[in-house]
Amino acid sequence: MAEATVSKETSAKREGPKLPVLEREKLILNKRSYNWITERICGVVENPQPILWWMLFIPCSLIAAIGVGGGLFHLVSTGVGVWGNTNRAMWGWPIVNFVFWIGIGHAGTLISAILFLTRQNWRTSINRAAEAMTIFAVCCAGIFPAFHVGRVWMAWFLAPIPNPNAIWQNFKSPLLWDVFAVSTYFTISLIFWYLGMVPDLATIRDRATGKIRKLLYGVFSLGWRGSNRHWSHYEMAYLLLAALSTPLVLSVHSVVSFDFATSVVPGWHTTIFPPYFVAGAIFGGFAMVLTIMIPARYIYGLGDLITMKHVDNMAKIILLTGSIVGYAYLMELFMAFYGAAKYEMEAFKFRIAGPYNWAYFTMMACNVISPQVFWWKKCRENLWVVMAVCMCVNIGMWFERFVIIVTTLSRMWLPGDWKYYYPSAQDIMLFVGTIGMFLTLFLLFLRFLPCINIAEVKWTKEESDPHFEDKEEHVDDGVEVIPAYQLELENGEAKV
Amino acid sequence: MSTTVKRVYGYLAEFESASKLYKAAEKVRDAGFQKWDCHSSYPIHGLDDAMGIKRSVLPYFVFFGGLTGFLTAISLAYITQVEIYPTVVQGKPANIFTIPAFFPIMFELTVLFSGFTVLFGLLGLMQLPRLNHPLFASKQFARATDDGFFISIEARDPKFSAEGTKALLNEIGGANIELVEDEN
């Protein structure tokens, strides 16, 4: 008590130069209330969907049904030969798509885990959608390896369980590591996503009017009642999952890259692969998050929660990881040159000057050059530019995998294998189908589940701090607050 | 005339803001209550101390969960690859020196088992899922997941008294004080 009065007196007397402190940028604009946040996010689930949702949902679900449903039916009933797997390069397409989708899935866990551990509070507005995207991307990815084994009904041979032939899975093989890494990643991401959603499902349950709705959200929200004794365990669980997912997210794409790096194939056998793949995955994942969140933000009027500050931060991450990827591309060339390995050098010459050089330069332009526009603030603030760059990155990252896999496999050790690669119609159909499936699942997610983490967004409000009202009573006059730059705010007020 | 017997669950009181809830929680704690709780739509950091809740024990569970995963992986890989069915593939050894090749799987299973322990440990510690709770009978309690800040004190608490507890909640700034009854 005595101490408190002393500090109060000293703070009142404080004179002289003030400590300049940069203001924190606002993560929620227009001083929205708790109730407004609840209404707006639950409204996405509760109100009838806008016409644009139907305009996207109907074609996407048709593409998914024809591409994935019909494509897989055709594949299984006819045989995996419809993919044109007649030589080594021909199984490249499913692997390209597998690596592409797994890569997309990386941003979700990065946002939820790594940005959580580093206390980046801006993650709260985007983590739910990014995690959902992770789950759906891994679902799409899983189709390709499961079906490219040829006889999909034998896919259970991948699991480490005894089989009648008394042969065990080869635990020394990166392909089996992949099975473990991807399935663990999917499971942990699902747990993370679901646990994070429980309090928000309870919010929807408490607002539900229909009986079925109340029952379903009631079951999935597990009887959550916002109890602080629960929050205490819950926050610990969230922290533990974040700590577990952080190395996991880095491991998954490292393991995927081991599939290539542990082989003795020129162009693949390189130590730079794990970090190069991980940076590329985060790069591609963030681009996909922006690609789907910018339209969602616009359609559902979530601009006060997903602000230009969020877009700006993500654009900066894309710039950073894009530059790391660019460095990796150049370093790969340098190692081929400096390593004095004849075949390695030939492999890279083939990439740059061979018949696939159009793919190589598409990759370079999309992944290395296009994100460089984000050095300019004007470009990060223009949503059209951001969307254009993200689309380039989505395309570029697919071509990165195409370059790595197809150009290498089509010029392997045996000249008898050399052939220019064309995907079959079924190949293309299935890939387009997975894009449709991904978007369909995401649209259903927007329709049925809270697309922004309501509880965590509320937590980022200033008055959520239990000492907020004390701060108003004891104003710190020793600091001078410098207003932060924020696109949508002028003198602390929203521009409207 | 309805003859339903109702059992008193306890009192529920609403508070204006997180700061007020925090200060009220300190007073309830100091009054010596044990079976009581705060309810809010988001985690209020620091409220654990104000309520006198100890740090969650979940990490200890997860440590042993992770250890189980690690030992499962090492025995699964070692026993099948080295002891029972040694298969020489790509000239890689099938003895103790094979272990580095098992590292990725050891890591993945450690994470997988830890993740499941987090999930089930958390559900166990929270005593969820449960689909009914006496508090759900309260109309105003629906706001606990929206913008309400509540304190509930259970009748099971030895310090509970119909008059005294109500007076305490009133004194610490609780509004809309409600006696919640459990239909039985």
Side-chain angles (χ1 to χ4, degrees), chain A residues 34-35 38 168-169 172 177 203 206 223 225-230 233 235 248 251 458 464 466 469-470, chain B residues 17 19 23 34 36-40 42-43 45 48 51 56 81 85 87 101 108 126 130 133 145-146:
Chain A
Y34 293 120
N35 184 252
T38 313
W168 273 83
Q169 289 67 34
K172 291 168 263 182
W177 303 347
T203 304
D206 288 345
R225 51 185 191 275
S227 149
N228 194 56
R229 289 179 196 275
H230 289 173
H233 292 305
E235 289 233 279
L248 182 67
S251 86
K458 284 178 184 166
S464 297
E469 287 172 18
D470 303 342
Chain B
S17 64
S19 300
K23 286 186 183 128
Q34 293 298 322
W36 65 288
D37 215 335
C38 293
H39 303 268
S40 59
Y42 61 88
H45 287 185
D48 292 1
M51 282 180 68
S56 173
Q81 302 293 290
Y85 302 112
T87 320
E108 300 298 341
M126 297 197 302
R130 59 178 289 176
H133 193 273
T145 54
D146 178 10

Side-chain angles (χ1 to χ4, degrees), chain A residues 25-41:
Chain A
E25 282 146 294
K26 289 182 175 53
L27 296 176
I28 302 169
L29 300 178
N30 292 321
K31 299 185 174 130
R32 297 301 190 182
S33 68
Y34 293 120
N35 184 252
W36 186 90
I37 297 171
T38 313
E39 290 281 340
R40 183 49 63 100
I41 299 170

Side-chain angles (χ1 to χ4, degrees), chain A residues 24-94:
Chain A
R24 287 246 162 205
E25 282 146 294
K26 289 182 175 53
L27 296 176
I28 302 169
L29 300 178
N30 292 321
K31 299 185 174 130
R32 297 301 190 182
S33 68
Y34 293 120
N35 184 252
W36 186 90
I37 297 171
T38 313
E39 290 281 340
R40 183 49 63 100
I41 299 170
C42 294
V44 175
V45 178
E46 290 161 354
N47 300 335
Q49 290 300 314
I51 192 83
L52 210 54
W53 187 88
W54 287 104
M55 281 164 64
L56 288 168
F57 180 74
I58 293 169
C60 286
S61 52
L62 279 176
I63 291 172
I66 298 168
V68 177
L72 289 181
F73 182 79
H74 178 61
L75 179 84
V76 174
S77 57
T78 316
V80 82
V82 297
W83 272 354
N85 296 24
T86 49
N87 78 11
R88 288 186 214 198
M90 301 318 177
W91 61 261
W93 185 272

